[in-house]
Amino acid sequence: MEIDGAPQLRNPVLIAAFEGWNDAGEAATAGVEHLERVWNGESVAALDPDEYYDFQVNRPMVSVDEDGLRSIQWPTTRLSVVRLEDHDRDIVLLRGIEPNMRWRAFCAELLSVATDLGCEQVVTLGALLADVPHTRPVPVTVSASDPDQAERLGLEPSRYEGPTGIVGVFQDAATKAGLDAVSLWAAVPHYVAQSPCPKATLVLLQRVEDHLGLPVPMGDLAEQAEAWQHGVDELAEEDSDVAEYVRRLEEARDTVDLPEASGEHIAREFERYLRRRDT
């Protein structure tokens, strides 16, 4: 991977998301795609896909332009940079596809480019299917894989054990490379597994905003999230079994916590309001 122009960035942080097992409802990759759009990300590098992808699994796409010329877009992983003129740091965005082979080399190559760009912090985004009701705030888990990092950043160390995807491998590789690596995971209702899930994308970006202390333009994501929830409400009303299942999930969720009423939630919302007012 070669960087086009090797831009000089100020205290950049890498925000990464990958399609595939780690991306329920496309919530994570949609978040990075949103940041690329609202922050006018400038593409600087792309991996050679021959090294990491099985094209019988991730097939290239053919397109035809207005002049009738055909071209092939190969599945790959790309890096773009964002210069935030009104702030004291810049952003590196990584959006790609979970590789089919050579995961360790894949992570090493991407992290080498990230460190060349000056990144010392990595934020990975993920989304998983879970037993959560669509009518409640989307739960987000924020963790660090290294206990010392977790204590320094005021986070919970990850206690997950079991199969992992490229997000977990990439976070572990970043930690071992000496970078502060934080992972944000949104829980998407498993009974609404089809993409997209803008409600989960919205809450992931809100937590990115909280973690970095930078205002993130949300555009019409809030309206999309509301429309998504209304659509799922209508589907649930048409099926009494689904409606009953959602009711049980709501009761279980409300028994565990009431995030809207928690002091942490109120403080986070107030801090977000102050950042947006100052901007």
Side-chain angles (χ1 to χ4, degrees):
M1 176 181 273
E2 296 182 359
I3 304 174
D4 297 333
Q8 297 296 314
L9 303 177
R10 303 161 303 153
N11 189 28
V13 58
L14 175 68
I15 302 175
F18 302 91
E19 297 175 17
W21 187 82
N22 321 265
D23 195 25
E26 298 179 0
T29 51
V32 173
E33 185 177 5
H34 176 85
L35 295 178
E36 288 174 337
R37 183 170 61 255
V38 299
W39 278 340
N40 299 314
E42 174 190 351
S43 180
V44 295
L47 282 174
D48 179 357
D50 285 354
E51 297 292 323
Y52 304 108
Y53 296 107
D54 179 348
F55 298 132
Q56 291 182 324
V57 177
N58 295 290
R59 292 187 177 273
M61 301 293 291
V62 176
S63 62
V64 180
D65 65 17
E66 296 178 355
D67 298 322
L69 297 176
R70 294 164 60 87
S71 61
I72 294 179
Q73 288 77 48
W74 295 91
T76 190
T77 294
R78 303 180 184 278
L79 282 167
S80 58
V81 298
V82 174
R83 294 175 175 84
L84 298 176
E85 302 297 341
D86 297 331
H87 303 281
D88 60 355
R89 76 184 322 166
D90 295 320
I91 305 292
V92 178
L93 299 173
L94 190 161
R95 180 162 59 98
I97 307 168
E98 185 175 72
N100 304 112
M101 60 197 79
R102 306 182 67 231
W103 283 27
R104 286 177 291 185
F106 175 87
C107 294
E109 186 167 359
L110 290 172
L111 289 170
S112 175
V113 175
T115 53
D116 286 346
L117 289 170
C119 296
E120 296 182 352
Q121 183 179 2
V122 174
V123 177
T124 55
L125 307 183
L128 72 160
L129 299 177
D131 294 333
V132 294
H134 71 280
T135 53
R136 297 295 186 263
V138 175
V140 175
T141 301
V142 185
S143 64
S145 57
D146 180 78
D148 292 336
Q149 282 188 4
E151 183 177 0
R152 186 169 69 254
L153 297 173
L155 302 173
E156 288 293 325
S158 176
R159 310 225 178 251
Y160 171 77
E161 295 181 312
T164 189
I166 192 59
V167 169
V169 174
F170 188 78
Q171 182 187 14
D172 180 71
T175 300
K176 290 178 178 176
L179 282 68
D180 285 338
V182 173
S183 191
L184 311 179
W185 282 82
V188 175
H190 70 88
Y191 57 90
V192 200
Q194 65 269 26
S195 303
C197 183
K199 187 174 181 179
T201 298
L202 175 64
V203 75
L204 276 175
L205 292 181
Q206 289 174 339
R207 297 307 294 268
V208 167
E209 184 178 63
D210 296 338
H211 181 70
L212 298 181
L214 293 173
V216 174
M218 297 299 176
D220 60 354
L221 271 178
E223 289 79 6
Q224 293 179 29
E226 185 175 0
W228 175 87
Q229 181 161 324
H230 287 325
V232 180
D233 286 341
E234 293 175 358
L235 291 174
E237 290 172 0
E238 296 174 358
D239 189 319
S240 59
D241 290 337
V242 173
E244 174 61 21
Y245 180 64
V246 171
R247 186 188 64 79
R248 292 201 303 268
L249 289 177
E250 290 173 338
E251 291 177 353
R253 181 66 182 172
D254 293 344
T255 300
V256 173
D257 56 16
L258 289 173
E260 295 95 339
S262 71
E264 180 183 356
H265 179 85
I266 294 171
R268 188 164 59 241
E269 288 297 324
F270 185 63
E271 290 172 357
R272 187 178 298 130
Y273 162 75
L274 292 177
R275 281 195 299 271
R276 292 184 180 279
R277 187 192 65 174
D278 293 342
T279 302

